[in-house]
Amino acid sequence: MRQFPLWVPTDSGPVAAIVTAPDEDPQGVVVTLAGTGRHITIGSTMSARLSERVVEHGLASVRFDYAGVGDSPGSVESWRLSDVEAVTRQALAVTRLACEALEVPRFACVGTCYGSRVALNLVTDAACIGAVCLAPPVLDHGNVVNLGRSVGHRRRFSFVRSNPVFRKAVYEPLRSAVKQSKLTPSIPRALAALDHAELVFLYSDNYERDHLNDRVRAVLEEAAAKLPADRRERFALHVVDTGALTLFEVLPPSEQTLILDLVLPVLHGWFDRSATEAEAGAVLQPS
């Protein structure tokens, strides 16, 4: 196994990354994308553990700290699920540099929560063959949720919820507005990319933590039902018997291993199929 650091220039500033690769030429690159909760440098516990496992399947991985997190300089005032464009550009810059360094043409993504939103954007890239999304939040709730997630507003928002007068006058109407959620635009774009990529959504049965409920299921099933049959087969949703995937960092090691044991064969199968399709395409090219 080989491992080396990268210092990647992005429009958000330099980003620290680590590439892990097998001794032989890798079949592809897996980019791991952390959530915005508890993490370790570099990336997350999930990123670190997965990077050690993918080499067993002849794959390389790249993990990195978002700008302003861990070893990447800068600062982050707030994390907004509805705004992952800057991090998507960081992820693309990191992934392309890793692919160039390893001389491989294809990559896949594994993201958790916020990171799965980034993965949904990356899957539209022609070089991406698929994304495994752990507990992806697929509904947008507007600026109300963004306000609650903003670092600068959390204390005030908590006060509003705890004060009976403000709760009735402010919080309850906002909570009602939140229910009027809609499918995030990244989902239709990702489903449209199923002509060249595949999607797997993994949730636990801790629905509240993992953003899964009957409405989410119905919205996803409705979106998938509109796809042509061949593309519909490239999308899957599974519920696993573990703790909340958004809390991967603090799950028991046995449950972390169970999740990785589900993810790894999926990645391996994608790269195997991609290689077979590439070979078949080369044979069909006119001489």
Side-chain angles (χ1 to χ4, degrees), residues 6-10 13-17 90 93-94 97:
L6 289 177
W7 199 243
V8 185
T10 76
V15 166
Q90 294 169 34
V94 169
L97 188 58

Side-chain angles (χ1 to χ4, degrees), residues 34-256:
T36 57
R38 184 170 179 254
H39 60 272
I40 63 170
T41 306
I42 279 174
S44 64
T45 300
M46 185 274 293
S47 300
R49 292 203 62 186
L50 187 62
S51 70
E52 297 173 353
R53 297 285 304 277
V54 295
V55 295
E56 301 168 6
H57 295 265
L59 302 173
S61 77
V62 60
R63 52 194 171 101
F64 69 102
D65 287 338
Y66 304 139
V69 174
D71 280 350
S72 298
S75 62
V76 181
E77 293 185 1
S78 65
W79 294 103
R80 299 175 185 269
L81 284 173
S82 60
D83 183 11
V84 296
E85 297 305 318
V87 173
T88 298
R89 293 193 297 271
Q90 294 169 34
L92 274 174
V94 169
T95 304
R96 286 170 177 166
L97 188 58
C99 287
E100 180 182 344
L102 294 168
E103 298 182 333
V104 295
R106 302 180 306 279
F107 71 91
C109 316
V110 180
T112 305
C113 193
Y114 177 90
S116 68
R117 282 282 183 100
V118 182
L120 289 170
N121 280 355
L122 292 184
V123 81
T124 62
D125 190 281
C128 184
I129 64 170
V132 179
C133 298
L134 307 183
V138 303
L139 300 181
D140 278 342
H141 306 291
N143 292 328
V144 175
V145 171
N146 290 338
L147 176 66
R149 292 180 181 274
S150 174
V151 174
H153 293 281
R154 282 177 181 168
R155 289 185 180 179
R156 277 172 284 177
F157 206 68
S158 178
F159 171 74
V160 169
R161 285 185 299 181
S162 61
N163 184 287
V165 176
F166 281 106
R167 182 179 181 90
K168 184 175 182 180
V170 178
Y171 180 71
E172 292 300 339
L174 291 180
R175 186 180 181 187
S176 177
V178 164
K179 293 180 180 179
Q180 299 175 14
S181 51
K182 59 182 180 180
L183 192 67
T184 180
S186 59
I187 297 293
R189 290 197 297 265
L191 293 177
L194 295 181
D195 59 339
H196 69 264
E198 302 191 44
L199 275 178
V200 171
F201 285 5
L202 290 181
Y203 294 95
S204 76
D205 54 10
N206 188 331
Y207 296 158
E208 183 175 358
R209 281 281 187 181
D210 276 2
H211 315 292
L212 182 64
N213 54 39
D214 290 341
R215 172 162 170 73
V216 169
R217 283 179 178 272
V219 168
L220 288 175
E221 288 172 0
E222 180 182 359
K226 295 177 181 177
L227 296 171
D230 57 335
R231 297 190 186 187
R232 191 162 57 246
E233 292 174 355
R234 289 172 166 257
F235 171 74
L237 186 155
H238 301 291
V239 177
V240 296
D241 185 18
T242 65
L245 303 188
T246 53
L247 301 177
F248 185 97
E249 317 299 304
V250 296
L251 290 179
S254 59
E255 292 192 9
Q256 292 182 356

